[in-house]
Amino acid sequence: MTPRPTSSGSHPEQPAEQRRTEPPAPARKEAAVKKARAKKAPAKKTAAAAKVTAAKAATEKTTVRKAAKKAAGKTAGKAAGKPTGKSAEKAAGKAAGMKAPAVGKGAAKKKAGQAAAPSPAASPVPPEMDLEIAVSPAVDSGDRERLLDGTHHAPHSVLGAHPVPGGVVFRAFRPYALAVTVVSGGLTVELHDDGDGFFSGLLPLREVPAYRLLVTYEGTVQETEDAYRFLPTIGELDLHLIGEGRHEELWTVLGAHPMTHQGVTGTRFTVWAPDARGVRVAGTFNFWDGTGFPMRSLGSTGVWELFVPGIGEGELYKFEITRPDGSKTLRADPLARRTEVPPATSSVITSSAYEWDDAEWLERRADVPAHRAPFSVYEVHLPSWRPGLTYRQLADQLPAYVKDLGFTHVELMPVAEHPFGGSWGYQVTGFYAPTARLGTPDDFRYLVDALHRAGIGVIMDWVPAHFPRDEWALAEFDGRPLYEHEDPLRAAHPDWGTLEFDFGRREVRNFLVANALYWCEEFHIDGLRVDAVASMLYLDYSREPGQWTPNEHGGRENLDAVAFLQEMNATLYRRVPGVVTVAEESTAWDGVTRATHHEGPSGFGGLGFGLKWNMGWMHDSLTYMSHEPVHRRYHHGEMTFSMVYAYSENYVLPISHDEVVHGKGSLVSKMPGDWWQQRAHLRSYLGFMWAHPGKQLLFMGQEFAQGAEWSEAHGPDWWLLDPHYGAEADHRGVRDLVRDLNTVYRHTPALWWGDTEPSGFRWVTGDAAEDNVFAFLRYDSDGTPLLAVSHFAPVVRHDYRIGVPDDVPAWHEVVNTDAGRYGGSGVTNPDPVKPEPQGWHGFPARIRLTLPPLATVWLRPA
């Protein structure tokens, strides 16, 4: 993990030259407003005006009744084959308090500065009905104020078309518009301008018709559907599941989704903001002014929704939220599935059209559980593996490279969107969006697909422990603590300056559980390596006494986090066949990889992970290797202690990015001695690691003994493998060893079948401290052994006796890290080694080996 500034990225209110994609409202808007107000100068809705409106409504009652009767008569005449006059539409419009443009030749004559609207032939007004006007068509003062302030919970109940006593009222809220006209069939009626962007009118209709709006701005006319005529796009079941925190496909209902609704194409916007007084959507489609796009609240769930017709993929957007204190904040979508390229921070409307070609991979990945299968992982930081490459360009190189080296999986350092590159992706702001630095979400799918077609599984680092404090992201999203805990002591992460999720809030747990499913189901990810689990499990993690509060039982365990991790693992394993979850957990928590329904000695059920990083092995073994060989006899136990607890969990042996940054140096630079000895130490250590019980993980660059510490700014030093570089053979030799280790490993079940079974391992000698020798046997399910001998002293030992079983007639050397092709001295055992009948090391037979200096040797039955 890496600390980062408390805020990063750009803001939509920056100057235009700094932020091309989120410009302020154009100057023409202001001109349009001034011109519209100068021409129309509508009176504001005051108490006196309300009285005038009421009086006007009363006088219009008789007029409307007469107009309707007249229209009915003309309609009846038309039905009998008699011609009708063009005054029906005009009379109806006047009776409703609206302007009805003349039909025919005069329709082309418009006000100055107003574009011509289409003038279809007149349509008859419906038959006579009992019209009782009880309302004014204009938006009342209370609704008007709330809409202007962005605090209206139900804009659809006011705007749009609604049956009322007296007909159907039409109301539109279009700031900066000069005029709004309703078009329905042959009827074209201009609404009355009520000021401040409000337009209204009343038509003497029996029911709400299908209609569109013509909105006139300075120099242009837009024909569009009315966003406020649509029913909600989310069903009651979805809302019920969201309210209960059990919507496992949350990404399908929240966020921005292009869709067809009631026969109209557009985009549905939905966001969870229970403490907001109002929410509006702003984006490139409305010049980042959300005034005229208020969203509606869908009951007690805290979900806000708006279907905006006519917009689709590629549009940028954010949510403008009115906080409880009345202030406003512009926020990226927490469930955005695509974002702008950082440092820009807008969300992007997207949908996937990708067609997968990895069905064969998905069908067989569940055949064998991960802990029973070969599992060697190449950890990759995608932006710096080959700097400058996109997802699709990486797909042309990464699968081939990893396959050539024989790794079974890649682990991608967080690809979820993050604003600060120096965090390496571990401080996420876009939990549902692959980082846009390398391409689109479908481009990322293409990379995953290419890896699968090459036979390589994909593990993704996942960060549910915390999130940064950026003011445009999740922190106090709707004005109060929402995703973070309401207790400041619980919310603030003491190490990274971030905020911890409130795992006790069901909607937050739902957000995270669904996110885990999202990556695995939508992107075919094969597993999640869950970051910083220890920081989630303990209330006192990195906190001093007095800085934390015990749980309800008086303990330090975070019971909410335990419940969340159990729910996440149980749900993921239930829904995604063949998936694996891996915990980065650095303590001795009981039952990290135990099933959630199995209770352990501590009284907790297991956390349900498939694998756990063995941080203890990593620290102990690297400490041992850092000592000069002459001193290692005093630290012998650091290499053997891991076998005391090796079967307490299902372990991964990680040499990750954390061990080669922040002044720790690269893996080869940790080794003592000169350059030859450093490489020999590294090769012998890798041989020991690949033979030790547990899965393997190696960070990029360490496979060819990169001497420099990793930096995300330039990535691995690939030039070390350039044939023109003088020491190229030294680095290529280490890479060749890694390839051979993986090849033998994958084809030798003894090295992986019994990783979690004590019967799969037996010490031959674990106490040869004076010789710096470790020897052990690994067994497969049939009892077939592999003998591994590691010699961490810089001398050759001839005729070194090693105890072995007496049922193997001869042993054959399959790996020797001192081989000349790896850059070693070439001390090997080229011929089969036959056992002698004398007992040794507690075994009934023994063999005599030549132990190379600083080397690991693997032998199999010949």
Side-chain angles (χ1 to χ4, degrees):
M1 307 298 296
T2 298
R4 60 180 297 279
T6 56
S7 180
S8 58
S10 61
H11 190 278
E13 296 178 359
Q14 287 181 333
E17 62 271 14
Q18 297 181 26
R19 183 172 184 80
R20 178 181 58 80
T21 53
E22 286 191 16
R28 68 179 185 180
K29 284 186 175 181
E30 297 182 7
V33 173
K34 291 177 180 178
K35 187 170 183 178
R37 288 177 177 170
K39 290 167 64 178
K40 297 183 178 289
K44 293 187 178 180
K45 192 79 172 178
T46 61
K51 293 180 180 179
V52 172
T53 300
K56 182 181 178 181
T59 58
E60 286 177 340
K61 182 175 180 181
T62 304
T63 305
V64 171
R65 206 180 269 128
K66 290 179 180 180
K69 289 181 180 178
K70 184 177 181 181
K74 292 184 179 291
T75 302
K78 184 173 182 179
K82 298 178 182 178
T84 59
K86 295 180 181 178
S87 58
E89 176 187 354
K90 195 170 183 179
K94 289 181 177 179
M98 301 186 292
K99 300 176 183 178
V103 180
K105 184 180 293 185
K109 297 179 180 179
K110 294 291 177 181
K111 299 177 184 178
Q114 182 174 338
S119 302
S123 175
V125 177
E128 181 181 8
M129 52 188 173
D130 185 16
L131 300 175
E132 294 294 333
I133 296 180
V135 295
S136 166
V139 176
D140 69 36
S141 59
D143 288 323
R144 186 186 183 105
E145 182 179 355
R146 288 193 293 273
L147 286 167
L148 288 170
D149 290 344
T151 58
H152 207 296
H153 280 68
H156 293 71
S157 68
V158 178
L159 303 177
H162 301 276
V164 296
V168 175
V169 66
F170 291 83
R171 302 188 187 100
F173 182 32
R174 295 284 174 160
Y176 311 110
L178 301 178
V180 176
T181 301
V182 173
V183 179
S184 177
L187 190 64
T188 302
V189 184
E190 183 178 331
L191 301 183
H192 182 265
D193 186 346
D194 299 323
D196 293 328
F198 291 94
F199 299 83
S200 67
L202 183 65
L203 270 176
L205 304 174
R206 288 186 179 277
E207 58 185 21
V208 176
Y211 71 96
R212 293 170 63 84
L213 298 179
L214 288 177
V215 185
T216 303
Y217 295 101
E218 182 73 19
T220 185
V221 175
Q222 295 179 358
E223 182 172 357
T224 181
E225 298 283 351
D226 185 357
Y228 297 92
R229 78 170 182 85
F230 294 96
L231 297 172
T233 56
I234 300 181
E236 290 298 324
L237 178 59
D238 287 322
L239 292 173
H240 174 75
L241 293 174
I242 291 172
E244 288 195 341
R246 295 191 300 111
H247 204 302
E248 295 177 357
E249 298 180 358
L250 191 66
W251 68 92
T252 65
V253 291
L254 295 185
H257 292 266
M259 63 187 304
T260 299
H261 181 49
Q262 294 178 215
V264 176
T265 59
T267 296
R268 176 188 70 198
F269 295 94
T270 43
V271 64
W272 179 60
D275 292 319
R277 292 179 59 192
V279 183
R280 302 189 285 204
V281 62
T284 49
F285 48 88
N286 59 14
F287 300 100
W288 294 101
D289 185 345
T291 306
F293 290 76
M295 303 175 72
R296 62 179 151 204
S297 175
L298 299 178
S300 61
T301 60
V303 174
W304 299 75
E305 181 261 2
L306 179 65
F307 176 74
V308 180
I311 66 169
E313 288 197 64
E315 297 280 4
L316 309 184
Y317 71 98
K318 284 187 177 182
F319 294 114
E320 181 191 274
I321 296 174
T322 303
R323 301 183 180 106
D325 64 1
S327 63
K328 290 177 172 53
T329 178
L330 199 60
R331 298 291 175 135
D333 183 358
L335 277 92
R337 291 167 295 131
R338 183 180 173 188
T339 69
E340 284 188 283
V341 178
T345 60
S346 292
S347 304
V348 183
I349 300 173
T350 188
S351 62
S352 176
Y354 188 77
E355 296 183 6
W356 290 91
D357 191 26
D358 62 349
E360 182 181 350
W361 169 268
L362 297 180
E363 288 173 4
R364 62 182 174 84
R365 74 175 178 183
D367 291 347
V368 182
H371 65 280
R372 290 285 194 185
F375 194 93
S376 61
V377 183
Y378 184 61
E379 187 184 23
V380 180
H381 178 252
L382 282 178
S384 68
W385 186 74
R386 295 280 193 181
L389 297 190
T390 64
Y391 289 127
R392 289 183 179 264
Q393 291 169 334
L394 284 165
D396 293 334
Q397 298 187 32
L398 182 61
Y401 183 81
V402 175
K403 184 176 183 179
D404 175 66
L405 290 184
F407 287 96
T408 66
H409 290 73
V410 293
E411 180 176 309
L412 307 180
M413 291 171 66
V415 295
E417 193 60 270
H418 49 284
F420 178 52
S423 76
W424 311 330
Y426 287 101
Q427 297 194 15
V428 177
T429 50
F431 281 83
Y432 284 78
T435 179
R437 292 171 174 87
L438 308 181
T440 68
D442 276 356
D443 293 338
F444 180 60
R445 289 180 173 92
Y446 182 85
L447 172 60
V448 175
D449 204 357
L451 287 162
H452 284 170
R453 293 196 304 272
I456 300 162
V458 181
I459 310 296
M460 190 186 92
D461 276 18
W462 186 55
V463 190
H466 63 133
F467 56 90
R469 296 174 178 265
D470 297 76
E471 63 180 9
W472 49 268
L474 295 184
E476 293 193 351
F477 181 76
D478 59 1
R480 292 174 180 164
L482 185 64
Y483 289 92
E484 67 270 40
H485 202 281
E486 62 182 0
D487 181 351
L489 292 179
R490 289 280 297 273
H493 198 293
D495 289 344
W496 304 311
T498 53
L499 295 169
E500 296 185 13
F501 281 102
D502 182 0
F503 303 110
R505 186 162 190 166
R506 59 182 181 270
E507 296 94 341
V508 174
R509 284 203 312 272
N510 193 172
F511 173 83
L512 293 171
V513 171
N515 186 242
L517 287 168
Y518 171 75
W519 290 107
C520 294
E521 294 188 0
E522 293 291 325
F523 292 92
H524 292 196
I525 297 296
D526 303 293
L528 301 176
R529 177 266 193 184
V530 184
D531 182 63
V533 172
S535 73
M536 301 164 64
L537 291 175
Y538 298 97
L539 296 170
D540 62 346
Y541 184 87
S542 288
R543 292 176 172 90
E544 299 297 329
Q547 295 181 336
W548 62 282
T549 303
N551 63 33
E552 60 192 65
H553 305 296
R556 65 192 188 109
E557 299 86 3
N558 187 338
L559 303 181
D560 294 332
V562 172
F564 156 68
L565 291 171
Q566 291 174 328
E567 180 183 355
M568 181 275 296
N569 280 311
T571 305
L572 200 58
Y573 277 96
R574 170 172 52 84
R575 286 188 53 138
V576 187
V579 75
V580 62
T581 56
V582 185
E584 186 213 14
E585 204 285 307
S586 55
T587 73
W589 183 278
D590 173 54
V592 172
T593 59
R594 189 171 61 242
T596 58
H597 59 283
H598 289 169
E599 187 174 302
S602 62
F604 289 104
L607 296 183
F609 285 93
L611 298 168
K612 173 185 172 177
W613 274 21
N614 194 336
M615 310 291 282
W617 173 88
M618 180 269 297
H619 286 296
D620 290 346
S621 62
L622 288 180
T623 299
Y624 174 86
M625 294 302 299
S626 68
H627 292 297
E628 291 287 345
V630 69
H631 300 304
R632 286 174 177 166
R633 70 183 69 181
Y634 306 111
H635 301 274
H636 199 76
E638 292 170 355
M639 291 290 267
T640 60
F641 180 65
S642 59
M643 291 311 303
V644 174
Y645 60 87
Y647 305 106
S648 61
E649 303 282 3
N650 303 335
Y651 283 115
V652 174
L653 311 178
I655 300 299
S656 73
H657 66 278
D658 279 330
E659 309 316 312
V660 295
V661 291
H662 296 323
K664 297 178 183 178
S666 66
L667 186 57
V668 71
S669 70
K670 299 177 190 293
M671 308 298 166
D674 59 23
W675 174 233
W676 189 94
Q677 290 178 325
Q678 284 183 315
R679 288 183 291 117
H681 284 300
L682 173 60
R683 293 193 304 269
S684 62
Y685 179 69
L686 292 174
F688 174 81
M689 173 183 174
W690 253 253
H692 191 284
K695 312 306 180 182
Q696 297 79 36
L697 179 140
L698 189 65
F699 184 61
M700 64 184 195
Q702 311 317 302
E703 77 274 16
F704 57 84
Q706 174 175 314
E709 184 175 271
W710 171 66
S711 167
E712 78 279 358
H714 59 75
D717 292 333
W718 296 108
W719 57 269
L720 296 172
L721 298 172
D722 188 330
H724 298 290
Y725 174 59
E728 177 265 345
D730 297 344
H731 299 279
R732 190 169 298 278
V734 175
R735 192 174 70 170
D736 289 344
L737 171 66
V738 171
R739 180 188 297 108
D740 290 350
L741 288 174
N742 274 325
T743 300
V744 176
Y745 168 79
R746 293 182 75 160
H747 293 91
T748 307
L751 289 171
W752 43 261
W753 176 85
D755 280 336
T756 60
E757 297 288 340
S759 61
F761 176 91
R762 182 177 177 183
W763 278 114
V764 173
T765 176
D767 57 359
E770 294 299 318
D771 300 332
N772 294 356
V773 170
F774 305 87
F776 52 85
L777 288 164
R778 298 294 307 278
Y779 296 95
D780 66 14
S781 58
D782 297 328
T784 303
L786 177 137
L787 175 63
V789 183
S790 292
H791 177 220
F792 294 111
V795 297
V796 179
R797 300 188 189 276
H798 297 281
D799 292 331
Y800 196 86
R801 289 166 289 187
I802 299 288
V804 292
D806 59 0
D807 57 352
V808 177
W811 296 83
H812 172 65
E813 186 176 273
V814 291
V815 170
N816 185 325
T817 65
D818 191 51
R821 66 181 181 278
Y822 305 140
S825 61
V827 177
T828 64
N829 297 273
D831 301 320
V833 181
K834 296 183 179 180
E836 301 171 348
Q838 291 87 359
W840 203 259
H841 290 144
F843 288 85
R846 69 185 184 187
I847 58 175
R848 294 176 182 266
L849 294 176
T850 297
L851 299 186
L854 303 175
T856 291
V857 178
W858 292 357
L859 301 101
R860 286 192 308 211

